[in-house]
Amino acid sequence: MSHDLSNQEPLLRVEGLTKYYGARLGCADVNFELWPGEVLAIVGESGSGKTTLLNSLSATLEPTSGRTLYRMRDEQWRNIYELSEAERRFLVRTDWGFVHQNPADGLRMTVSAGANVGERLMAVGDRNYGHIRETALDWLGRVEIAADRIDDQPRSFSGGMRQRLQIARNLVTGPRLVFMDEPTGGLDVSVQARLLDLLRGLVGELGLAAIVVTHDLAVARLLSHRMMVMKDGRVIEAGLTDRVLDDPREPYTQLLVSSILQV
Amino acid sequence: MNAVASYNFAYLDEQTKRMIRRAILKAIAIPGYQVPFSSREMPMPYGWGTGGVQVTASIIGPDDVLKVIDQGADDTTNAVSIRAFFAKVAQVATTTHTADATIIQTRHRIPEKALGEGQILVYQVPIPEPLRFLEPRETETRKMHALEEYGLMHVKLYEDIARHGRIATTYAYPVKVEGRYVMDPSPTPKFDNPKMHMSAALQLFGAGREHRIYAVPPWTEVVSLDFEDHPFEIQHFEEPCALCGAEQVYLDEVILNDRGGHMYVCSDTDNCEERREAGHVGSLGVKEAAE
């Protein structure tokens, strides 16, 4: 993954992001920048605020305070919480993607795989059936789903296939930023490995920026360039993935890294 | 007739009519937009046209001439009872002739004869939301209408082509009204969709169970959704009406016996009768003058 990052601006700039649920803390004072083509992993145990942070970043939740600035395709920096709902929904279905842990949350289970991939194209105004179908076929191929499954509903797909279909559905409009919430959770180990391999290939090939929430340090190691470790709603350590995993500074990170089962 | 003296003119009380008229005016002002209204219990079951009846009751006056059709026919149960209902509670004149009517309440057809200015077509609508079966959340579909997010409608048409090789939706075929709202034209056959486009008549849609009213004002653009490479087309019939010989009209198949015998006849009974009176005869028809 060799992208020239030297003369580029960041894609996303997060400043003092804080989310309270009433008096309870979701996440506090998160600051970071994300560059085009960069994959950032957010790791931590359950309840550490990872998902709250991801949902806030992807404008699913409105934070209590702080800003998330995004560099739009027209190079304008916009605070995503100040976009109109129409602008935000357009951004979410064109320039962003969101891969849910449970594929059923991100797919339309009652329409065919082809229509699932094609929906975003139709949403941005593609009205040519032949072109939509061709693009869907191409994307199914790229996520290793056989072409003859294009008219099958995702209900008839295995867990791994559904997850790959969800990825294709998200990437078809050529987004620049993809959010992933435990993309390999709930899959068995060999399927996980294949999915990770696929994701790594796609991310590199398309130059996607991605924010991946995971509790699995192996996922972070394989996919991400940088990582942030969260505990009790706060980022306690951040840095290059290999540095954090090989030379963790914080006691908690050391504990996390040392608690990986070695087989 | 003292038997109906306890009813207000046209059954509904004046406050209710005012409320429904306000909804209708709003619907006319925003073509294709579904206006919520406080639907009343009517002396008929849901699904029998409670929405259409309320709209008709709110707009009808003593001088109006009412025609009611059900699947194009003037003589089916639904049409006969609604016509009798208004004859009783509003003492209005009724007719079966399309050209003579000022208000036509319809279930699932648009008359073959082109409607003129001053006529009002009232549709009975079972499900007003075209996106309902694609997105069950009403909160979400309202948002999609508000933000003009209609990609999902094409997902349905895509599914049709993927499964059947062509757009297989034959009724309740979605339309875009005046370039803005996507609308369900009620379960009329798509054969009738082109008649909605630039119609001289006012078209009102009432969904009683769903508490929605929407409208297409006269001379409004109504475009059926389609794909560039799979354009919208209406049904075509191989043979003309067996009774009156009409072509380019919507036909019903009538089973004649248990040996596969069948005939195609006009679904619009008034149109068929008028043609027969004018001397047109189909393959199974009898010449009127000979009787």
Side-chain angles (χ1 to χ4, degrees), chain A residues 165-229:
Chain A
L165 180 62
Q166 193 191 183
I167 289 163
R169 173 181 160 89
N170 272 288
L171 298 188
V172 68
T173 49
R176 294 188 300 163
L177 174 59
V178 179
F179 300 95
M180 300 187 210
D181 188 7
E182 307 276 6
T184 58
L187 301 175
D188 66 56
V189 183
S190 61
V191 176
Q192 267 190 32
R194 191 162 155 220
L195 188 75
L196 283 173
D197 202 39
L198 180 86
L199 268 178
R200 197 154 73 142
L202 285 173
V203 163
E205 180 189 328
L206 302 168
L208 285 175
I211 298 179
V212 185
V213 157
T214 180
H215 60 259
D216 187 341
L217 294 181
V219 170
R221 172 82 90 177
L222 274 169
L223 273 184
S224 70
H225 306 111
R226 273 198 307 149
M227 64 188 282
M228 300 198 309
V229 183

Side-chain angles (χ1 to χ4, degrees), chain A residues 89 93 112 127-130, chain B residues 140 143 149 159 228-229:
Chain A
R89 285 170 70 112
R93 67 168 190 262
S112 68
R127 295 288 176 263
N128 188 305
Y129 175 82
Chain B
E140 182 69 11
K143 204 168 276 178
E149 287 180 7
E159 284 287 275
E228 290 161 6
D229 43 353

Side-chain angles (χ1 to χ4, degrees), chain A residues 24-85:
Chain A
R24 205 174 302 273
L25 179 68
C27 63
D29 199 27
V30 177
N31 297 283
F32 69 90
E33 284 178 341
L34 186 75
W35 271 264
E38 186 185 34
V39 180
L40 174 75
I42 304 172
V43 302
E45 61 191 13
S46 294
S48 60
K50 306 188 298 279
T51 301
T52 297
L53 177 59
L54 191 73
N55 286 339
S56 300
L57 293 173
S58 60
T60 318
L61 273 180
E62 190 165 356
T64 315
S65 63
R67 303 197 300 169
T68 298
L69 300 165
Y70 181 70
R71 184 160 57 81
M72 310 289 271
R73 287 196 189 203
D74 61 3
E75 299 296 319
Q76 295 295 313
W77 283 93
R78 303 286 301 271
N79 182 351
I80 59 166
Y81 311 116
E82 285 168 6
L83 294 176
S84 73
E85 188 166 24

Side-chain angles (χ1 to χ4, degrees), chain B residues 12 20 24 37 39-40 42 44-58 82 86 105 122-126 204-213:
Chain B
L12 291 175
I20 294 175
I24 292 172
F37 80 109
S39 181
R40 297 291 190 256
M42 296 305 283
M44 58 197 297
Y46 284 123
W48 285 54
T50 53
V53 164
Q54 289 180 75
V55 170
T56 303
S58 305
I82 292 175
F86 282 110
Q105 183 172 330
V122 178
Y123 296 75
Q124 301 169 196
V125 181
L204 302 176
F205 299 77
R209 177 173 35 205
E210 301 270 338
H211 301 212
R212 292 288 184 279
I213 286 173

